[in-house]
Each structure stands twice: as C-alpha cells, then as structure tokens.
C-alpha cells in the first residue's frame, strides 16, 4: 500500500510546470493550460538512497489545470486512494517559485523547455516515508507535459 504523505504540498508542487519561453524566465502565464504528470519523485532528505520513489511508477496519475493567473487546481489519483484535489496559488520570480495551498507553503525552482517542465521543491515539503504518522523532510522532483490548449 502507498505510504501516506503530506498530500497538500506534494500535490500543489506537481502543478508547477509550464511551456514557457526559456528555462531562466518563467511567468505564471506560461502555466496556462492542461498538464499531465510524467514523473513525480519524492526523496527523503536524510536517506535519499533508501527512500526515493516515483508516484507515477507506483500507479498514480497527476493532472494540473491553470488559467495563467497563478491559481491552479491539481488532481492526484492513486491506485488505492480516492481522488485528491488541491487548489492553490504560485508566485514565480525567474525560476524561483513559492507554492501556497490551504495547508502549507513550499519553495523551489522550476525549469522549462518547450512544452515540458521540471519542478524541484526543497523547502516546506514533508512525507511519511515509514507509514507511522510522522513526517520527515523531503524533496520533490516533478515533470509534466502540456496535453491541452490554453484555456480561453
């Protein structure tokens, strides 16, 4: 069974991808559209070799929709879990990003090329790697592809 984790931050983080102009200049308008996750990797900071896994390979699907204003809706569906829907906002300055949801705030970077992007969150993220209810500091790497047109 999939280990439980700080879903709000993980799901919010997955939404930070885009098809913007360059890897050094990302704007919220570059996020406009419909996206699908191709990799959602969670790594325990204290034990990266032991606890490092991709939710997509474990049977999860991730979808993200943004109107380009910084607001987003992210949906994560697991093989054993119900749908998880997270809403939030993001602020981007260059490649630095701050993600805010109802339950947490995370920091990291977003890098883009063409219609694919990678998000790395290293601040404010936790995950219950042991399944015991205690959450350890974690980092997240997520890659998404744009699959739909920009909303009008």
């Amino acid at each position: 069974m999939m280990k439980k984790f700080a879903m709000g931050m993980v799901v919010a983080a997955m939404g930070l991808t885009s098809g913007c102009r360059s890897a050094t200049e990302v704007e919220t308008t570059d996020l406009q559209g419909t996206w699908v996750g191709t990799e959602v990797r969670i790594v325990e900071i204290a034990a990266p070799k032991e606890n490092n896994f991709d939710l997509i390979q474990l049977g999860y699907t991730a979808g993200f929709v943004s109107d380009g204003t910084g607001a987003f809706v992210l949906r994560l569906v697991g093989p054993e879990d119900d749908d998880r829907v997270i809403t939030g906002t993001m602020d981007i300055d260059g490649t630095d990003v701050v993600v805010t949801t109802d339950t947490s705030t995370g920091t990291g970077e977003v890098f883009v090329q063409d219609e694919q992007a990678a998000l790395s969150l290293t601040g404010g993220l936790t995950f219950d790697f042991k399944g015991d209810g205690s959450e350890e500091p974690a980092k997240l790497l997520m890659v998404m592809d744009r699959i739909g047109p920009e909303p009008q």
Side-chain angles (χ1 to χ4, degrees):
M1 180 174 165
M2 179 61 198
K3 298 174 184 175
K4 300 295 177 192
F5 55 94
M7 187 62 87
M9 221 32 258
V10 171
V11 173
M14 294 181 342
L16 295 174
T17 59
S18 71
C20 72
R21 293 172 298 283
S22 74
T24 59
E25 183 183 338
V26 180
E27 298 176 4
T28 56
T29 55
D30 298 320
L31 300 166
Q32 191 170 357
T34 302
W35 303 82
V36 64
T38 58
E39 179 179 4
V40 180
R41 182 165 303 280
I42 300 177
V43 180
E44 183 178 7
I45 292 173
K49 291 183 182 177
E50 294 84 6
N51 291 316
N52 178 336
F53 53 92
D54 180 2
L55 295 178
I56 302 299
Q57 289 182 356
L58 295 174
Y60 282 74
T61 59
F64 169 80
V65 176
S66 174
D67 65 1
T69 67
F72 65 87
V73 175
L74 184 65
R75 182 176 179 198
L76 182 68
V77 180
E80 299 177 17
D81 295 333
D82 294 332
D83 290 1
R84 310 275 179 127
V85 177
I86 301 295
T87 59
T89 60
M90 61 196 94
D91 292 310
I92 301 171
D93 182 11
T95 60
D96 296 331
V97 65
V98 176
V99 179
T100 305
T101 68
D102 291 339
T103 59
S104 57
T105 299
T107 59
E109 295 180 289
V110 61
F111 301 95
V112 244
Q113 183 164 353
D114 300 323
E115 294 295 308
Q116 185 179 57
L119 168 77
S120 174
L121 273 189
T122 55
L125 181 66
T126 60
F127 188 93
D128 182 4
F129 288 95
K130 299 176 183 117
D132 62 2
S134 69
E135 296 182 2
E136 295 75 37
K139 57 186 174 179
L140 174 120
L141 170 65
M142 194 194 59
V143 177
M144 292 181 78
D145 292 331
R146 189 192 321 252
I147 61 168
E150 298 176 5
Q152 300 301 318

